[in-house]
Amino acid sequence: MATAVLTLALRTQEDVLLTRRRTRDLAALLQFTPAEQIGLSTAVWEVARLAERRGEVELAVVETPPSVAVSITVSGVPRSALMVTADGPRLNLEALRRLVDRVDARDVNGAAVVQLIASAGPDAWVPGVDELELVLASLTRHDTGGGGPGILDELRQQNFELLTTLATLREREQELRGLNDELGDTNRAVTALYAELEVQAGELRRRAEAISRFLSSLTHELRTPLYAVRGMTEAILRDHEADLSEGIRQDVELIDGAMVEALDLVNDSLDMAKVEAGRTIVRLSSVDVRELLDTLRAVVTRLPAHSGVELRFDEPGDVPVLETDAFKLSQILRNFIVNALKFTEAGHVRVCAHTAPDRETVQFDVSDTGPGLSAEDQRRAFEEFVQLSAERHGELRGTGLGLPLTRRLAAILGAEVGVQSTLGRGATFTVRVPTRHPRDVEGVDVVGPT
C-alpha cells in the first residue's frame, strides 16, 4: 500500500528543481545508495520538466514487507510525450527503466500520468510516514522561502552529480576497453592454439593410420608361419606319438598351445583393425534367434574344452525376430563362449536369450561356473590389451583383445555389452541387442532391408 508523504505543484522551473531535490531527500532518508538516489531523482526530473505549469508530483512510500519502495506519480504530462511519432519533446521510457525499477505510463482524461517506482535495499530503515512527511514539508517551506540561492545550489548539485556520473562512466569505459583488449589477446591465443592442435591432430591421425597399416600387414604375414608351425606340431603329435618321450611330447604340446595363443592374438588384432579402419558395413537381415543359437551350437561344440564342462543352450522361448547383422552378432556370442570354455574347468557354460520387458531389445547371456572376476577386473573387462587374471594357477583370461572386440562389434549393432561376476562363482557376459538396428550409428553404413 502506497502512503503519500508530499505533494508538489509544478508551476515553474524552480518547482521542477525542487521536486528533484525532495526526491533525492526522500531516497536518502530511506537509505538508498548515492547511485540509486541520483538515478531516481534524475528520472523524476526528466518527467517533471515536461509537466511544468500544468502538473503535480506525489511522493509516496510503499511498504510491502520485507521490501520498501518509493512511488512517485507525475500527472499533467502532455499525452504527446508518450507518442513515438511526437514532434515535440517526448519521454524515453526505455531510458527511464534503466534508472528505476519500474515505469508505468497511462493516459488519463487526455493527459499522461507517469509512475516511477524504485525499491530500497534489504537493510533500509524506514522512519514513520508522519515523520517523513514532516521532514519533507519542513525542507520544502525552507527552500521556497528564498528563491535564487536555493535554485543555484540545486543546479550546482545536479552538475556535480552529472560530472561524478560521467567520471564513473569514463572509468568503466576504460576498464571495458582494457577487458576487450585482453579478450582480443586471449582470442588470438586460443585461435593459435586451435591451429596448433589441428596440426598435431592431423599428424597423430597420419601416424595412427600408418601404424594401423603396419600392424595389419604384420599380422597378415605372421599368420602363415604360425599356421605352418601349428600344422607341424599337430603332425608330430599325430604321426609320431609312439616315438616321442614324455618330456618331448609335453614340449611339443606346449609349442602347439603357444601357437594357438599367438593365432588368437593375430586374428583378434586383424578383426580389431577391420573395425577401426574407416566406415564399417552392417548387413541387415531377419535373424531368427532360435536358428542363430542352433547354428552357433553346431560350431562351438567342436571347440576344445575341459572334460568336466557341459555346454548348454537354453530354448529362447518367445523372442522376436531381430533385424541386425547375423554374422557380427554370432561373432560376439562366439567370443563369449570361447572365453568361458577356456577358463571353466568344471561345471557348465550356459547360453540363453530372452526379451526385455519393453520388447525393444533382446538380451543374450553366456554364463559359466569358472573362477569369476573381481570388481576391478569387471570394470576393466572390455578395455584393450587388459588380461584379466584368474584366481587359480596364475592363468590369464584372454589375449586382451577378444572382449574389447565384442564391445566394438556391439556398438556397431547399436547394442551394449556387460558382465556380472562373483569371485569363485563364475561370470555372466551379456549383450543387449535392439530388435531393430538404429541405423544412425556413427561411422556405420547400413546395407539391407529398409
Side-chain angles (χ1 to χ4, degrees), residues 117-197:
I117 298 177
S119 298
D123 300 328
W125 172 75
V126 184
V129 173
D130 294 339
E131 181 180 351
L132 287 172
E133 184 177 359
L134 180 62
V135 170
L136 293 179
S138 175
L139 290 172
T140 301
R141 284 193 299 272
H142 174 74
D143 286 340
T144 54
I151 295 175
L152 184 59
D153 290 341
E154 179 64 25
L155 289 174
R156 288 172 178 170
Q157 178 65 28
Q158 182 175 339
N159 288 335
F160 173 75
E161 292 174 355
L162 290 175
L163 290 173
T164 302
T165 303
L166 287 174
T168 302
L169 290 175
R170 193 171 293 111
E171 290 177 0
R172 292 183 179 179
E173 183 180 1
Q174 292 174 352
E175 291 177 2
L176 286 175
R177 189 177 296 111
L179 290 174
N180 284 332
D181 292 340
E182 291 181 13
L183 184 59
D185 294 339
T186 303
N187 285 337
R188 286 189 290 273
V190 170
T191 301
L193 179 60
Y194 275 140
E196 183 179 350
L197 289 176

Side-chain angles (χ1 to χ4, degrees), residues 68-294:
V68 176
V70 174
S71 174
I72 300 176
T73 304
V74 182
S75 57
V77 178
R79 183 171 57 179
S80 60
L82 303 180
M83 298 179 181
V84 176
T85 58
D87 295 332
R90 69 181 187 88
L91 285 174
N92 188 340
L93 297 180
E94 290 301 319
L96 291 178
R97 291 188 178 99
R98 289 195 290 269
L99 296 173
V100 295
D101 296 323
R102 180 179 165 187
V103 178
D104 291 329
R106 61 187 185 278
D107 188 345
V108 178
N109 298 327
V113 175
V114 181
Q115 185 182 33
L116 307 171
I117 298 177
S119 298
D123 300 328
W125 172 75
V126 184
V129 173
D130 294 339
E131 181 180 351
L132 287 172
E133 184 177 359
L134 180 62
V135 170
L136 293 179
S138 175
L139 290 172
T140 301
R141 284 193 299 272
H142 174 74
D143 286 340
T144 54
I151 295 175
L152 184 59
D153 290 341
E154 179 64 25
L155 289 174
R156 288 172 178 170
Q157 178 65 28
Q158 182 175 339
N159 288 335
F160 173 75
E161 292 174 355
L162 290 175
L163 290 173
T164 302
T165 303
L166 287 174
T168 302
L169 290 175
R170 193 171 293 111
E171 290 177 0
R172 292 183 179 179
E173 183 180 1
Q174 292 174 352
E175 291 177 2
L176 286 175
R177 189 177 296 111
L179 290 174
N180 284 332
D181 292 340
E182 291 181 13
L183 184 59
D185 294 339
T186 303
N187 285 337
R188 286 189 290 273
V190 170
T191 301
L193 179 60
Y194 275 140
E196 183 179 350
L197 289 176
E198 184 62 29
V199 172
Q200 294 180 358
E203 180 64 24
L204 289 174
R205 281 193 295 269
R206 288 190 292 272
R207 291 183 181 181
E209 291 171 359
I211 292 173
S212 179
R213 288 193 299 270
F214 170 74
L215 290 177
S216 180
S217 301
L218 179 63
T219 49
H220 272 294
E221 295 296 329
L222 283 174
R223 283 206 295 184
T224 299
L226 289 175
Y227 275 119
V229 173
R230 193 178 178 211
M232 287 186 287
T233 57
E234 288 180 343
I236 292 172
L237 293 173
R238 182 183 64 250
D239 300 336
H240 303 282
E241 184 177 2
D243 301 332
L244 299 176
S245 65
E246 181 63 21
I248 294 178
R249 185 182 62 78
Q250 290 179 357
D251 290 341
V252 175
E253 288 177 347
L254 286 174
I255 295 172
D256 184 64
M259 291 304 101
V260 171
E261 292 288 338
L263 283 170
D264 286 344
L265 179 59
V266 169
N267 290 329
D268 287 345
S269 298
L270 281 175
D271 289 338
M272 187 72 75
K274 291 177 183 177
V275 171
E276 292 179 344
R279 301 185 67 86
T280 302
I281 296 178
V282 169
R283 304 184 186 279
L284 298 182
S285 62
S286 297
V287 179
D288 184 285
V289 174
R290 182 174 283 100
E291 292 180 0
L292 175 72
L293 294 182
D294 288 342

Side-chain angles (χ1 to χ4, degrees), residues 392-415:
R392 296 191 230 166
H393 310 305
E395 292 176 303
L396 294 177
R397 199 175 179 91
T399 61
L401 286 176
L403 292 178
L405 177 60
T406 61
R407 178 175 59 84
R408 297 287 186 90
L409 293 173
I412 291 172
L413 300 182

